[in-house]
Amino acid sequence: MTTVADRLRPVTGHRLFWPALVLVVMIAANTVYRPGFLAVEVKNGHLYGTPVDILRLSAPLILVALGMTLVIATGGIDLSVGSLCAISGAIACLHISRAADPDSPSTVLTALALAFGAALVLGAWNGVLVAVIGIQPIIATLILMVAGRGIAQLVTEGQIITINSGPYRAIGLGHLLTLPLAVLIALAAALLVAAFTRRTALGLIVESVGGNAEASRLAGIRSRRIVFLVYVVSAACAALAGFMVTANVSSADGNAAGLWIELDAILAVVIGGTSLAGGRFSLGGTVLGALIIQTLTTTVYAMNISPQTSLLFKAVVVIAVCLVQAPAFRARFRRRRRGVEPGPAAPQREKEQVPA
């Protein structure tokens, strides 16, 4: 006779089930703690409320995590995305601050183009180090992670550049069709990446390179080009996130902008079900992971948890989420509930000594 667990297995076995469940549980817990958590209202034609704020604040993380997903799918890692956020934001704000008319659309577009181009060049630098020279990804991107902060400090001359530009501020705080513009930008980026990776062969090629780069090369796939490409895409996503981060506060701080966002992006990718070993990846899971992290951050602030313990609280929750998603942990937990302990491994037979 089919049990309830057997009937639900196709649902619970889906890679997005557990991240979605964790997000629903967190929203439900916040709703119990604060009954007005899900309240959304319209003011001056714009949507406001905690759910809208979570979506808006998670937009930069979603962008960075999308690029990180592709990098991790190839078996790499990109630790430089936080520094790229700071560099792109610093270059854009520097150009706007020196312009005669900061509110001019042409000034803002020129600033965005300069910053975006610089980010692409730095992403190409990472790609060359990893794909061409063959340096380990964690070392290659660590170089730019450290040096990038210095570049951002040089651009800002160690100061916080403050600007007053309405068009640039709209990137982080503007609205379009009642929704925050940052959310729409992140949504457009996610759909664009999904279209290229799931509607073309590019996604399968990325997964094959991450699964076995040498076998992919022997099969005719130019794995080096794919690895180079994903680091450029990761830099582009980080640049867009840098624009949002600096637009939110109308200033560029080369030391603080995008600080530790690379770690949150890696967490979002892992929570979404993508393996750090490379291979198969889930863009939908990455988006859910970013929303989980931002919801957790909002929860920490709402519960008035002290800054000294907030990081520990977030770490405990993330560990619990990862354990819940792990198939081996769930299987062991089910066996214990049924009272079945995993038996000892069968003893291996000693190899027979063959006389010389």
Side-chain angles (χ1 to χ4, degrees):
M1 188 170 125
T2 305
T3 63
V4 176
D6 293 333
R7 294 177 181 176
L8 294 178
R9 190 163 296 157
V11 178
T12 58
H14 195 278
R15 65 167 65 184
L16 297 183
F17 173 78
W18 292 105
L21 179 62
V22 170
L23 183 60
V24 170
V25 170
M26 292 180 63
I27 292 175
N30 277 280
T31 305
V32 172
Y33 183 77
R34 289 190 302 161
F37 179 80
L38 294 177
V40 177
E41 57 183 350
V42 180
K43 291 182 179 179
N44 300 323
H46 302 153
L47 289 177
Y48 291 94
T50 303
V52 179
D53 289 339
I54 290 175
L55 291 175
R56 181 179 61 83
L57 294 174
S58 63
L61 179 56
I62 290 175
L63 286 171
V64 175
L66 287 174
M68 187 71 74
T69 301
L70 299 180
V71 172
I72 290 177
T74 61
I77 199 79
D78 191 353
L79 299 179
S80 66
V81 288
S83 296
L84 287 172
C85 287
I87 293 172
S88 59
I91 293 176
C93 290
L94 178 65
H95 180 80
I96 294 174
S97 67
R98 293 180 175 179
D101 185 9
D103 285 325
S104 172
S106 60
T107 298
V108 175
L109 290 176
T110 302
L112 296 179
L114 290 173
F116 196 76
L120 293 181
V121 171
L122 293 174
W125 166 259
N126 282 337
V128 169
L129 291 181
V130 176
V132 179
I133 300 179
I135 299 177
Q136 288 292 328
I138 192 171
I139 301 300
T141 57
L142 181 63
I143 295 172
L144 187 56
M145 175 186 177
V146 177
R149 289 291 168 186
I151 295 174
Q153 292 282 358
L154 288 175
V155 172
T156 61
E157 297 181 350
Q159 306 295 321
I160 297 178
I161 300 177
T162 303
I163 60 174
N164 186 15
S165 173
Y168 190 78
R169 190 185 306 112
I171 298 175
L173 300 176
H175 287 76
L176 180 65
L177 301 176
T178 72
L179 292 174
L181 184 58
V183 175
L184 297 177
I185 294 174
L187 178 61
L191 293 177
L192 185 63
V193 174
F196 275 102
T197 57
R198 295 311 183 193
R199 296 299 180 182
T200 68
L202 182 60
L204 291 176
I205 293 174
V206 169
E207 291 179 346
S208 66
V209 171
N212 193 322
E214 182 63 20
S216 300
R217 186 186 66 81
L218 295 176
I221 298 174
R222 297 182 177 179
S223 57
R224 288 187 177 182
R225 289 189 179 183
I226 298 299
V227 173
F228 177 85
L229 176 62
V230 296
Y231 281 96
V232 174
V233 172
S234 178
C237 293
L240 293 177
F243 299 151
M244 289 184 186
V245 170
T246 52
N248 281 333
V249 293
S250 295
S251 63
D253 185 350
N255 187 45
L259 188 63
W260 308 128
I261 196 173
E262 60 272 6
L263 302 184
D264 283 343
I266 295 171
L267 277 177
V269 174
V270 173
I271 290 174
T274 300
S275 172
L276 288 176
R280 296 185 62 188
F281 62 92
S282 172
L283 295 175
T286 295
V287 173
L288 285 175
L291 291 175
I292 288 172
I293 292 175
Q294 184 56 51
T295 304
L296 180 58
T297 303
T298 303
T299 303
V300 168
Y301 293 151
M303 297 177 65
N304 294 323
I305 297 178
S306 63
Q308 292 79 8
T309 58
S310 61
L311 295 178
L312 178 60
F313 177 79
K314 289 177 65 176
V316 171
V317 174
V318 168
I319 291 174
V321 171
C322 293
L323 287 177
V324 167
Q325 290 187 93
F329 177 82
R330 295 201 306 269
R332 189 177 183 87
F333 181 74
R334 284 196 296 267
R335 285 197 299 265
R336 287 186 175 277
R337 286 189 60 187
R338 294 172 184 171
V340 179
E341 290 290 339
Q348 296 182 353
R349 295 182 178 179
E350 296 183 358
K351 295 182 180 179
E352 297 180 357
Q353 299 292 332
V354 180

